Each structure stands twice: as structure tokens, then as C-alpha cells.
Amino acid sequence: MKKIFLLGLFLSTAFVYAQQTGTSSSPWNIKELYKTPAMHETDCCAVVGMRSFFYEGIVFKTKPTKVFAYFKAPEGTPPEGGWPAVVCVHGGGGTAFPEWVQAWVDRGYAAIAMDLEGHLPIGGFPNREWHEQAGPPRITTFGDIEIADREQWFYHAVADVIRANSLLRSFPEINPRKIGVHGISWGGVITAAVMGLDNRFAFAVPVYGCGFLYESTVSNFERYFKVMTPDQLNAYKTKWDPSLYIPSATVPSLWYIGSNDGSFSLNIWQRSVSLVKPAPMLSIPVTSEHGHIWNQPEIFAFADMMVKNGKKLMQIGNTFIEKNRVTAKIASEATLKKAVLCYTTDSGAWQNRNWVQLPATLNKGKVSAALPADAKAYYFNITDTDNLRFSSAVTIMEK
């Protein structure tokens, strides 16, 4: 037994060391990315009340890169230990959004938002202005899979987010133990990978984006993976898909997606969620809404719970069948207002399925509802008296 224990300890230590130095299957040198990057103030794209600067990214084709960013902290004296902070990771076609930074500042956080596609926040997508020291562009969905790892967009995007965390941690007004990451769409994909690579974050919120992209039923992913050669697909699966890194995450997380999201299908999202330990919080409104939307109250409430001693949010257990009813246990200090069972009897593409919302019963720390015999998938949505809505995991009954 002692030999088995020592072998397990050795393998565990070796994995952590390999992950930190970039010598495992991870292409990134995490130890290097944990170093504070140099920062260069700029008057470019100035926004009143915010700092605009470039921070140094990683090398691209033998040349150093720079990443444009906005930063702002709340006014006044920082709390003991410094302000909590958030790294804002935009989606496809996005940029460094000062409005996103301000949304977090208004809630008592410092925030940084950077451009991960080599642009300045001038003009609109797809005509934003390029800058000379940018890293590689994003080419469709891993359309650069054939070139060297260190020249691919996803490699740089992940690295630039980790470096943003390293930069924030160097600011004296920031509490380095209270920095979270909030990513939307492609930014959610990046966040899902980063949360398994950078264990310094205090919380993570991937919105829409997830792993297992090569199994998506949504055309904007499916069509690109279908035309990959076997070698290209294997390269993606073994280097870039977030499902490789999610199991290593230790950061508390909230995952948010609409039931009919048009970019990320619910099946691969749930499969990604199931890899997360400890169990994450979920929020799944019945909607197809998708975009650079950062005002969901559940996100700010979750962040407050993690780093500002905010109210404890409900914890929803796994669903189970009990007397022909689907049931889940709930732990909550908040007063719960209503619950619904969301279910679909449809098959086919997830983004096209109709979801029915059936009133559910809240009683003695449990939620339950009669489950229709022809349901193909289901989950609970539960709302408290502050109108915060959280969800159980999605149970998929079809193969």
C-alpha cells in the first residue's frame, strides 16, 4: 500500500509540475505566463476615467506582441487587501469593451478588458483597426490548425488571458486572491480552458462557450470540424479543446447558457459542465439570446459570494426519479419564489428544440415535478425572491 501511495503522490506531483512548466500535453508554459508582463501606457482609444495601455503578450514569429487593454478600479480607498478584480474575455469579433469594465466597476470591482484578435477598439467588426505588434488573427474555427502551435490564435488568446491575470496581480490596489475571469462566447471557450490552466483565479464564469466543440450540432462549428483531416482533428482534440483542461480546474465556477443557444449546443455544454470539480453553479434560461451581454444578475451575485462575502446562493443537487416524479435537493439560505421543470420532447439539433416550462413544487428543501414520459431532456430552473435564477444539471435521456 505504501508503494502505491508514493507512486500516486509522485504522479500527481509530476502532473502539477508538468502543467506549470508546459512540459505536459499542454502547449503553454504556465510558469512563464505567471510572470508579470511589461505594460506601456497609451493615449490611443482613450476613454475618460479609464487607463488604456498595451501589455506584452508572447512571441509571434520571433517578435514580441502587445495586447491593447482598458483598466479601471472603483473610486475611493480600496478595501483591506485591495479591490477584487475581473478579467473580461470577449467573444468572436469582440474587442476591449470599456462598457464591460464599467459594469464591474459599478459593482465594486476593478476590471481589465483586452482585445484578443489583434485590434484596437476602433470601428466595428469586421473592420476594426489592426495594430502593428498584434499577435495572430482568429481564422474561422481553428482554421489555422495546420501551422505551428505557437503561431495559432487560440494559443495566443489563452496566454494573453493568463498574462492579464498576472498583470492585475502586480497592481498594488488589487487583491491578488480575489481576481476572477468572465468570458463570453469564444471568450467562454477560452475561459473554460484557462480555468484548468491558471489555478490563481478566485472564480470563473464561462458564458455560452464550452468544450467538445467537435461534437456540436451547430453549423458554425460543425461545418469546420467536418472538413478537418483526421490529423487536424486529432491535433485539435489533443491540444486545444477545453475538455482537456476543465478536469484540472479547482476554481469555483458559474456556467451560463440559453437552452437554445445558436452557437454552442446544450449537449456539449452539459458534457463540459459534468467535468468540473467541484460541482459548478449553473444558470440556463429558456432563450436563444446570444451576444456580448454581461448584465446577468446571477453572474454578479456569484462573484460577490466568492470574493465579497455576498449572500450564499442556492445549491441544487443532482436530479433523480422518485415515485414517477423528477426530484432534486436544494440547499438555500435565500427564500425561493418559484420553480419550473424545463423539458423537451424534441430530437435533432439542440438549438431548434422546443422547451416546455412546467410548474414544479418546492417543499422542505426539495424541488419536484411530474416528468412527461416522452421527455428527451430536462432540468429545473429555480428563482429566489431576488429574482436570481439557477438551474440543475441537464439530464439527457436519449443516446
Side-chain angles (χ1 to χ4, degrees), residues 1-8:
M1 287 294 293
K2 184 176 182 181
K3 289 182 179 180
I4 294 173
F5 171 77
L6 291 174
L7 176 60

Side-chain angles (χ1 to χ4, degrees), residues 243-291:
S243 62
L244 295 166
Y245 307 108
I246 293 171
S248 299
T250 58
V251 55
S253 59
L254 166 67
W255 293 64
Y256 185 102
I257 194 172
S259 59
N260 296 82
D261 190 273
S263 294
F264 300 90
S265 50
L266 196 58
N267 61 328
I268 65 168
W269 182 87
Q270 178 56 50
R271 189 174 173 193
S272 301
V273 165
S274 68
L275 297 177
V276 184
K277 301 290 183 288
M281 296 193 68
L282 312 176
S283 187
I284 316 169
V286 176
T287 181
S288 60
E289 186 176 61
H290 183 102

